Amino acid sequence: MNGVDFGHRVVVARGPGPLSVRFGARTALVCAGLGLTALAVAVLGLGTGEFEVPPGEVIGALAGQGSGATRLVVVEWRLPRVLLALLVGAALGLSGAVFQSLLRNPLGSPDVIGFNTGAYTGVLVTMLLVGRDYHQTAAGALAGGLLAAAVVYLLAYRHGVHGFRLIVVGIAISAILASVNQWFVIKVQLQLAVAAAIWGQGSLNTVTWEQVPPVAVAVALLTAGLLALGPRLSLLAMGEESAAALGVRTERTRLLYLVIGVALTAVATAAAGPISFVALAAPQLARLLTRTAGVALAPSAVMGALLLTTSDWLGQRLFAPTQLPVGVVTVSLGGLYFAWLLARPMRKAAP
């Protein structure tokens, strides 16, 4: 895959066969820095709690060394949660980057335009009619997210899809689905309602090893799908006419990106519930650091992983021993980011 050259210094990473990834040296350094920071936060998360483990012993436990008690706490109890936070954060960052590039709008995030809410609706219906098995809820999240995306896309389509119209339609559909979700929670049995309400906050508190492999495989396959599409996302971000002039089949390509973006959101929602603002904030924060002309996928993914891992650690430690759902922390931090994002154009326009 050939990427877009955003600077004079270019790093080329070659994969199997003809695939290669090309990106600026600053982008590579930012990705490395964010990745190392995320790993540092992960080690911190593995070592903190009621049973404190120093960083050196955490690394030793991951290498199979140390006492049995330390390995039990670090590897069996805490590692699945940290790994899932990294995976779900990366999935949300990628999804946000896809939608913000397609819509050419920093507000074009799956949690703003209703795809998160649609995935949550699908999970609620699945929990009510089928069961609460992880694979069943994952299928329900995917079906709900895709159905919400199809409705938004069809209602927003007028001789093509324009970003602002799709965002407005998505916000309206999100409000309707949120009301439907509340109705479901009110009408179902108390035990199911409590489970749905807790899950709906977005939480990693009950994560086990069973959930990690399917999420890892799904995120890997969807990321491979993005790589297989090559630089088409950057071309679409230039506008439909420019992309078509460069040989991109715009509607077909947009639909492919839409399906992959919704699938990434559904995987994250099925694993941890609807987590807001990571998909919104990660691409723009990464763009500020990389100073690229547009939103880039790799920095957005790493930034998403860092944001969610940090938010989950804060949720565990701010009011310890009481643990906050990670979705509560991301909403709190995201509200501040949202206000800053909206205030930026006003500050620039001020004399």
Side-chain angles (χ1 to χ4, degrees):
M1 180 192 76
N2 293 320
V4 179
D5 183 359
F6 291 115
H8 299 292
R9 296 183 180 181
V10 174
V11 176
V12 179
R14 300 199 177 277
L19 292 179
S20 65
V21 181
R22 188 182 185 192
F23 46 88
R26 182 184 178 88
T27 300
L29 290 175
V30 168
C31 287
L34 291 174
L36 290 174
T37 306
L39 290 177
V41 175
V43 171
L44 183 64
L46 291 172
T48 54
E50 293 185 12
F51 185 84
E52 297 285 340
V53 182
E57 293 185 22
V58 168
I59 295 173
L62 295 176
Q65 302 171 1
S67 66
T70 300
R71 291 199 303 272
L72 176 67
V73 171
V74 171
V75 177
E76 297 299 327
W77 292 352
R78 294 177 181 169
L79 185 57
R81 178 173 185 156
V82 170
L83 288 178
L84 206 63
L86 292 169
L87 289 168
V88 170
L92 291 173
L94 283 172
S95 179
V98 167
F99 286 113
Q100 290 179 21
S101 296
L102 286 179
L103 303 177
R104 291 179 285 167
N105 192 311
L107 298 180
S109 170
D111 45 344
V112 173
I113 55 181
F115 301 158
N116 259 14
T117 315
Y120 183 27
T121 305
V123 169
L124 287 176
V125 172
T126 302
M127 292 172 70
L128 179 63
L129 300 179
V130 182
R132 284 185 276 176
D133 177 75
Y134 171 75
H135 297 92
Q136 294 170 338
T137 56
L142 180 59
L146 288 174
L147 185 57
V151 171
V152 171
Y153 190 88
L154 291 174
L155 291 177
Y157 190 89
R158 293 291 185 278
H159 307 291
V161 174
H162 300 282
F164 180 74
R165 184 190 299 132
L166 191 142
I167 290 172
V168 172
V169 172
I171 291 173
I173 296 299
S174 179
I176 294 171
L177 290 175
S179 299
V180 172
N181 294 343
Q182 289 297 322
W183 182 84
F184 272 125
V185 172
I186 291 171
K187 290 296 183 181
V188 298
Q189 295 178 354
L190 179 61
Q191 183 180 3
L192 182 59
V194 171
I198 293 174
W199 184 87
Q201 294 297 314
S203 176
L204 296 168
N205 292 349
T206 59
V207 167
T208 63
W209 271 111
E210 181 185 4
Q211 295 164 265
V212 176
V215 173
V217 171
V219 172
L221 291 175
L222 292 170
T223 302
L226 290 176
L227 292 175
L229 287 172
R232 294 178 181 86
L233 187 61
S234 299
L235 298 179
L236 285 175
M238 296 166 56
E240 286 192 22
E241 294 182 0
S242 300
L246 292 170
V248 177
R249 298 171 63 181
T250 55
E251 287 302 322
R252 177 178 176 273
T253 304
R254 185 186 290 109
L255 282 173
L256 287 174
Y257 277 117
L258 183 67
V259 169
I260 293 176
V262 171
L264 285 166
T265 302
V267 168
T269 304
I275 297 175
S276 300
F277 287 107
V278 174
L280 175 71
Q284 294 302 317
L285 292 176
R287 182 182 177 185
L288 286 176
L289 293 177
T290 57
R291 299 179 186 174
T292 54
V295 171
L297 293 176
S300 300
V302 184
M303 177 63 80
L306 173 59
L307 287 177
L308 192 61
T309 306
T310 304
S311 296
D312 187 47
W313 180 79
L314 289 173
Q316 295 179 64
R317 305 312 306 160
L318 282 177
F319 300 101
T322 300
Q323 294 191 15
L324 295 177
V326 66
V328 173
V329 180
T330 60
V331 166
S332 302
L333 298 178
L336 298 174
Y337 167 79
F338 200 59
W340 171 79
L341 183 67
L342 294 175
R344 281 184 69 202
M346 296 184 228
R347 289 201 303 268
K348 290 181 181 178

